[in-house]
Amino acid sequence: MNFVIENWYLFVAALVSGGMLIWPMLTQGGGTARVSAADAVQIINRERGVLIDVSEPAEYAAAHPVGAKSVPLASLEASRDLPKNKSLPLVVVCPTGTRAPRALAVLKKLGFENTRVLAGGLAAWRAANLPVEKTASA
């Protein structure tokens, strides 16, 4: 017991460092399957993955990854634009990567188990110099 009392600062340091390791998982959806832009392209090309953009319609029209399907987060549960084959891999993207984890939870609830989030969102897609397109707004 003397060791604990005399070295209390070691225990505090251990707790703080453990907390620092766990913090990113709690604040960034650590249980969320995240992929880089390069990994997303491989999933799309090799596994016939589908890129789902959960941006609002105006954001989607302003810029989105080439080939991405627009399924706004608000209408995700009722959307008919999602693939019928629920075993296809889905990569979910939004402008910054903050909405996509919420969309992932909805997709899993709908039965899509093979889903991933594009880490960093559209910004990461652009940073990887991957093609982006614009559409006429509805």
Side-chain angles (χ1 to χ4, degrees):
M1 189 64 172
N2 274 345
F3 178 80
V4 174
I5 293 171
E6 291 173 3
N7 297 296
W8 62 269
Y9 55 91
L10 295 175
F11 291 98
V12 170
L15 287 172
V16 169
S17 65
M20 290 171 63
L21 290 171
I22 293 173
W23 183 254
M25 291 190 316
L26 297 174
T27 59
Q28 297 176 0
T32 302
R34 294 179 183 269
V35 295
S36 67
D39 290 339
V41 170
Q42 286 186 350
I43 291 166
I44 293 163
N45 291 336
R46 294 184 181 166
E47 300 176 35
R48 294 183 32 221
V50 179
L51 191 58
I52 304 291
D53 192 323
V54 295
S55 305
E56 292 301 315
E59 294 171 322
Y60 180 84
H64 59 272
V66 170
K69 286 187 172 191
S70 176
V71 185
L73 180 59
S75 63
L76 193 59
E77 285 192 67
S79 177
R80 295 179 183 248
D81 293 328
L82 294 172
K84 304 291 183 244
N85 182 353
K86 293 188 178 187
S87 65
L88 280 176
L90 301 181
V91 178
V92 183
V93 62
C94 67
T96 61
T98 55
R99 267 179 268 175
R102 288 184 286 172
L104 189 87
V106 172
L107 289 166
K108 287 192 182 246
K109 189 173 93 174
L110 293 173
F112 293 94
E113 290 300 321
N114 194 1
T115 57
R116 298 169 185 105
V117 169
L118 177 63
L122 181 62
W125 186 268
R126 283 182 164 168
N129 291 322
L130 293 168
V132 175
E133 64 184 350
K134 298 177 183 183
T135 57
S137 52

